[in-house]
Amino acid sequence: MSSFPCAIFPDEIEPFVLSLRPYEVADIGSIGWIEQHEVLLKLCQQAFIEASTKQEEVIKERLMLEGKLPLLIHELFSVLVWRTKVLPRLLALKNPDSSFLLYSVIYHEANIGSLLETILYHRSTCEALGSNALDLIDYCAQAIGRLVGLLAQGYNDREDDPPPEVLLNESTEEEICRMERGLEFRIGMKCLSIVSYLVDGLDQLPLSAATRLVREHDFPCLIAEMLNAKPWLRRSRTGIFEKFRNDCWQPAVGDAVLMVTETEAQTWFCLYKLLFNGDLMRDYEINNYRQREIGKCVGLLNENLLDQLPALVPLKQHLCSLQVTKEASGTPGGRATLLLEELPELKDKLLSTARRIGWDVIVERHRKIFIDVQQEDIREMAKRITTAYNMELMENYTTKEDEQERARRAANLDNSGVKVCGQCGASATKKCSKCLNVFYCSRECQVQNWPDHKELCHQLKIG
């Protein structure tokens, strides 16, 4: 008998998975959809527990056995279409009294993204996607593109946790838009991991997946842009650096700023596998623009990064060669080498069905569900969904180092919280004048520590 608590009892897993069915955009928010939302929350939690505690991954196997992976991708696109086509029209009708139900729909998309991120680690799961891998590639490209847009608008600079006075004065519509941006950021980060798994299992995917990655969405340039944007790093309102790990922002002080996160490492290896895949590169013309954009990553491959990820040394050599190459490589114009090519279908089918019903009809139906809803119904629904979230269970099985202790060590704090010298360990009150993060007890210690601190100081100053 397993010693691990579970989000789903073993005899519930099969009926839960069998109960899953695709919902059209017009059906979002219905009783059946809400019940499936709860089921998917529990399945995601159980899949995470199984993966993080190295149990047999029953959820993954059952989803594959019952052929439910295409359904998960269908649900991703269903909510995406709802967010882009229906939600703005709902908010234009009336400022809703509560944001909980609307937020639950948006969270549904992030939850399925988390489930896919967990189970697609295995190459067998990538193979089970079949032709739906093309739809997932399209979804990830759009999600990462939206992440690029958020960063360009200064999302990480303004932060996703505004001060209390701002939260108190914002309307429900503003709250929903803020929460949607926050989930778009998290979905984009999950898609970076998902794409790395798809690229790793590319030989298990349909032939059209390879050409779609490089010709339709130009993932080498897209991934290079993400590496330069560093979405996993930001500076908080208090001036402390934070890194995005385990789906949340965690303090990173001192040497911790230079520690590579899981998503950062996956993104680097994704670029590596793309550029070193001979079949892919035959369909990918390295023109001047691509040469310039991908070549920008050379400066990021410093000694600190290569010490942590030594397998990237050939990538740095390749990028250096790419910068000095005069002639373009790959198929001119990225011309297709396939005579017959599969195309993604899910999003077009969802849009076609919604148009037949009529956007006005769908909006009116959803107005009654999300806007003109009684407070008693909201409280009852909130109670059900909050129970399904079960965040305490997830926190107990997040396998990570104690963040407070790690931050204390990185910030040169002793056990009593007193600042100590980065060189000799004595009590210190003087900061490095360039990075303002490392303390020293004297000028002599700072000079002695400079050869070791130089790289860190440079990175902190840039950040």
Side-chain angles (χ1 to χ4, degrees):
M1 185 173 178
S2 173
S3 60
F4 299 109
C6 55
I8 305 176
F9 292 115
D11 58 350
E12 292 179 317
I13 293 177
E14 183 176 358
F16 273 14
V17 172
L18 288 173
S19 71
L20 297 177
R21 72 175 185 86
Y23 279 86
E24 298 296 332
V25 177
D27 298 323
I28 289 177
S30 64
I31 297 300
W33 187 92
I34 292 293
E35 291 174 351
Q36 180 158 296
H37 175 63
E38 296 178 52
V39 167
L40 283 169
L41 279 171
K42 293 177 181 178
L43 288 174
C44 180
Q45 293 165 1
Q46 183 63 25
F48 174 80
I49 292 171
E50 290 173 353
S52 61
T53 55
K54 295 180 172 58
Q55 302 179 54
E56 180 184 357
E57 297 188 38
V58 180
I59 300 296
K60 171 184 75 71
E61 295 297 333
R62 181 55 62 177
L63 288 169
M64 291 172 56
L65 181 64
E66 303 298 341
K68 297 297 184 179
L69 296 184
L71 178 142
L72 297 180
I73 303 172
H74 177 281
E75 291 296 284
L76 282 178
F77 274 107
S78 181
V79 177
L80 176 61
V81 171
W82 183 89
R83 280 202 299 117
T84 55
K85 300 292 186 180
V86 179
L87 181 57
R89 302 185 191 202
L90 283 175
L91 296 177
L93 291 176
K94 178 186 174 183
N95 191 33
D97 296 329
S98 172
S99 62
F100 183 81
L101 295 178
L102 291 169
Y103 178 77
S104 296
V105 179
I106 304 170
Y107 186 81
H108 186 73
E109 184 181 354
N111 179 63
I112 296 174
S114 296
L115 178 55
L116 286 170
E117 182 185 17
T118 301
I119 64 179
L120 285 174
Y121 173 81
H122 302 275
R123 291 169 63 89
S124 58
T125 319
C126 293
E127 183 179 9
L129 288 173
S131 62
N132 291 102
L134 305 176
D135 295 279
L136 186 55
I137 288 171
D138 274 20
Y139 176 84
C140 290
Q142 294 177 43
I144 296 172
R146 290 193 299 271
L147 178 57
V148 170
L150 284 174
L151 297 173
Q153 295 168 15
Y155 176 80
N156 273 5
D157 297 331
R158 292 195 302 269
E159 306 174 23
D160 61 346
D161 53 346
E165 57 271 17
V166 174
L167 295 177
L168 288 173
N169 295 323
E170 69 179 359
S171 65
T172 307
E173 181 179 352
E174 291 171 335
E175 179 187 4
I176 293 169
C177 291
R178 173 177 56 80
M179 292 189 296
E180 184 179 10
R181 288 195 302 272
L183 284 176
E184 279 192 342
F185 176 85
R186 283 160 173 74
I187 291 169
M189 296 296 284
K190 295 178 190 302
C191 284
L192 286 173
S193 299
I194 291 172
V195 167
S196 72
Y197 298 145
L198 293 178
V199 172
D200 186 47
L202 195 57
D203 57 332
Q204 308 292 322
L205 303 182
L207 292 175
S208 300
T211 54
R212 196 155 193 86
L213 279 168
V214 295
R215 290 195 300 107
E216 186 69 25
H217 299 299
D218 198 353
F219 263 98
C221 275
L222 189 57
I223 294 299
E225 186 169 359
M226 295 311 305
L227 289 168
N228 280 280
K230 299 181 181 178
W232 38 78
L233 177 66
R234 76 174 186 183
R235 192 189 288 268
S236 70
R237 287 196 304 272
T238 58
I240 297 175
F241 282 94
E242 295 178 329
K243 288 221 166 185
F244 194 77
R245 310 188 71 148
N246 298 313
D247 209 28
C248 65
W249 289 103
Q250 300 172 8
V253 188
D255 291 340
V257 178
L258 298 179
M259 298 300 294
V260 176
T261 68
E262 294 81 359
T263 306
E264 183 179 2
Q266 288 172 333
T267 308
W268 273 113
F269 284 115
C270 183
L271 180 64
Y272 179 97
K273 290 166 186 172
L274 284 170
L275 296 181
F276 280 82
N277 187 313
D279 294 333
L280 276 180
M281 290 300 102
R282 276 196 292 272
D283 279 339
Y284 190 69
E285 181 187 6
I286 303 292
N287 53 33
N288 290 335
Y289 169 77
R290 290 168 173 169
Q291 186 181 44
R292 182 174 65 253
E293 292 302 308
I294 299 173
K296 290 178 182 177
C297 294
V298 173
L300 303 175
L301 289 163
N302 51 48
E303 290 185 9
N304 172 73
L305 181 66
L306 294 177
D307 284 343
Q308 297 177 70
L309 304 174
L312 295 180
V313 171
L315 176 62
K316 183 170 185 177
Q317 296 170 344
H318 179 72
L319 294 178
C320 289
S321 301
L322 185 66
Q323 285 186 316
V324 298
T325 301
K326 297 293 184 182
E327 298 180 359
S329 61
T331 304
R335 192 166 56 251
T337 58
L338 296 176
L339 296 178
L340 294 175
E341 184 176 351
E342 292 181 273
L343 295 174
E345 300 176 339
L346 278 178
K347 187 176 181 181
D348 288 341
K349 286 183 177 179
L350 283 164
L351 286 169
S352 177
T353 302
R355 291 191 191 103
R356 283 200 304 270
I357 298 172
W359 293 114
D360 291 339
V361 174
I362 295 174
V363 169
E364 180 61 23
R365 185 185 301 180
H366 288 183
R367 180 182 65 80
K368 297 175 182 178
I369 296 174
F370 297 107
I371 306 296
D372 299 337
V373 60
Q374 299 298 318
Q375 288 299 320
E376 294 79 10
D377 295 333
I378 295 176
R379 282 194 291 269
E380 182 63 28
M381 194 64 66
K383 187 184 300 183
R384 288 179 57 181
I385 297 178
T386 301
T387 302
Y389 284 167
N390 200 358
M391 296 309 294
E392 290 184 5
L393 178 65
M394 301 308 294
E395 289 174 1
N396 291 336
Y397 287 90
T398 301
T399 54
K400 61 181 180 180
E401 183 181 354
D402 177 34
E403 296 302 328
Q404 290 183 344
E405 180 62 25
R406 187 171 68 180
R408 178 183 290 112
R409 292 198 303 269
N412 300 113
L413 290 170
D414 63 16
N415 291 331
S416 63
V418 176
K419 290 287 184 181
V420 295
C421 178
Q423 174 64 17
C424 68
S427 297
T429 57
K430 299 178 181 179
K431 287 183 180 180
C432 171
S433 60
K434 292 185 178 181
C435 69
L436 304 177
N437 272 265
V438 179
F439 284 72
Y440 296 102
C441 63
S442 64
R443 173 68 176 168
E444 291 72 18
C445 278
Q446 183 178 13
V447 171
Q448 293 174 22
N449 187 242
W450 177 245
D452 296 328
H453 174 60
K454 179 170 62 174
E455 178 63 29
L456 170 64
C457 187
H458 177 67
Q459 293 291 329
L460 293 174
K461 188 177 179 183
I462 291 176

